[in-house]
Amino acid sequence: MSKADIISLEPATGAEIWRGAACDVDDVVARARRAWPAWAAQPLTTRMELMRRFANEVRKEADTLAHTIAREVGKPLWEAHAEVEAVVAKVEVSIRAYAERTSQRKLDSALQGKMALRHKPHGVLVVLGPFNMPCHLPAAHIVPALIAGNVAIFKPSEKAPASGEILARCFNRAGISAAVMQFAPGGPAEGQRLVAHEGIDGVLFTGSANTGIAINRKLATRPDKIVALEMGGNNALVMWDTPKLADAAALIVQSAFASAGQRCTAARRLIVKASLYDQIIPLVKNLADRIIVGAPFDEPAPFMGPVIDNAAADGLSESFLYLMSNGGRAIKHLQRPQGGTLPFLSPAIIDVTAMQDRPDVELFGPILQVIKVDDFDQAISEANSTRFGLAASLIGGTPQDYNRFWANMRAGIVNWNRATVGPSHAAPMGGMGLSGNHRPTGYYAADYCAYPVASGEMEQPRAVIGVGLKS
Ligand code: NAD
């Protein structure tokens, strides 16, 4: 492999799906800078219309795109189709969000003047995508960025360039030029060079906390650059009294094991009221035992596929062993049904109540840690016992319990009797602490894609100085 080659392998088979040269960062940025003024000068309605054409192109490519996502990141085909639908839905959500949050407003001001509030694009924005939703999450930045009049440089995850390339093609076929929405394949090295490039105006990032922190540090002395960081979580589910235990178990399993646990909002920790433990844990385990782990196109359809690669599977296996050898008690072991050759993992559940120091890290895979507590205050305190703050859910409990939970949980998504996963992009989507930098995406992406300009305006100068002058 030459130094610049990016190679993407299918997790479920090990076969190569994409190979290509990494982009030339200087060229990419220069092309974006040249393209920006003309794009920003287009009427807003034109840019919106082009986004609707993009949605149509995605609809036309839906099957190819879903198949490619499924092959490239290993998720079941049904789930890849859901991701494609989310990309299409993103367009109308972003158009509405632009109009509501960052459109032009005019207010009367003194002396028959006007006060105008308008928004301007930043310029050239770099979008760095993660592997786990290789189209939906980059599109969640790109679409609002383009609507607002920015040009986008899209560097997909090096683990998902094939999916990213089709997404980029849909933009380009819709009539958005390959300079306005540039596909820029590359790995962390290209990501670093893009972030550090003088010619960019901002970075819209979705990925791990470590990378987000590195980007934040790199741009710490550059307040002139907009930086939106969507990072991971160590998300908690709190299980309290409910007569609907089977439904609760289903919510827990969905939250922990959807996408083989490779969702930023996946539940990593289940905090259970002690008196419910012996009822709910067997239900969760039985359901997890029934989960079909398989390749994306298997019949019957699997619930979850492999994790992204062997390095991830090895890391998760080591983490599970670490938990076991430091006081954790396995309720359901983490297994590798295909040995070390392919990164399939079984869903795993481990009771870590007895552990002295639980590592506050995001285990990005199908491992659920269980903690038993005696009262609701302890449950909230456990749930908040993390540097992350992305998603949290209360299952069961009274309305009063939920009020307390909502008021005390430090997270950007706080749910009641809903899974932690699958947040609506028609709402803001982001978190606190190590999960984000207070620039949520989803409905609020419009906010970081444009900056407000306030203007006091009069058609003619009109002023007198009423005090403090010599006669
Ligand atoms: P990652 O951080 O490894 O990579 C994300 C992107 O950053 C990739 O394009 C990568 O090439 C690039 N990159 C890596 N190092 C870089 C550097 N030093 N400078 C600039 N760019 C660099 O993340 P991943 O493993 O692809 O994705 C999984 C992570 O993403 C998980 O932590 C997950 O929780 C998080 N995530 C967050 C959200 C959210 O909305 N908050 C959504 C999905 C995933």
Side-chain angles (χ1 to χ4, degrees), residues 195-220:
V195 167
H197 204 289
E198 267 307 316
I200 65 141
D201 299 294
V203 179
L204 312 182
F205 168 79
T206 306
S208 63
N210 282 345
T211 308
I213 290 166
I215 293 169
N216 211 31
R217 192 173 287 141
K218 186 86 207 163
L219 294 175

Side-chain angles (χ1 to χ4, degrees), residues 127-133 137 141 155-159 186-195 203 205-212 214-215 229-233 262-265 268 308 362 364 388 390 425 429-431 435-436 441:
V127 174
L128 298 172
F131 75 79
N132 65 324
M133 292 201 180
L137 295 170
H141 292 305
K155 194 202 82 56
S157 162
E158 62 281 10
K159 294 170 186 170
E190 286 70 30
Q192 283 174 3
R193 284 210 285 282
L194 283 165
V195 167
V203 179
F205 168 79
T206 306
S208 63
N210 282 345
T211 308
I215 293 169
L229 303 173
E230 318 302 336
M231 303 184 281
Q262 297 172 112
R263 297 242 187 133
C264 55
T265 47
R268 310 291 170 204
I308 189 67
E362 180 189 47
F364 206 59
F388 294 89
L390 190 54
H425 266 244
M429 155 74 201
S435 299
T441 186

Side-chain angles (χ1 to χ4, degrees), residues 103-109 113-118 455-457 459:
S103 65
Q104 176 174 317
R105 284 184 180 70
K106 283 202 171 170
L107 307 165
D108 289 338
S109 78
K114 296 269 182 239
M115 186 70 213
L117 169 61
R118 303 183 186 88
S455 306
E457 298 171 348
E459 284 194 6

Side-chain angles (χ1 to χ4, degrees), residues 297-322:
F297 308 102
D298 280 357
E299 291 291 340
F303 178 84
M304 62 184 233
V307 294
I308 189 67
D309 54 25
N310 281 326
D314 292 346
L316 289 158
S317 305
E318 276 166 30
S319 299
F320 196 79
L321 281 178
Y322 176 88

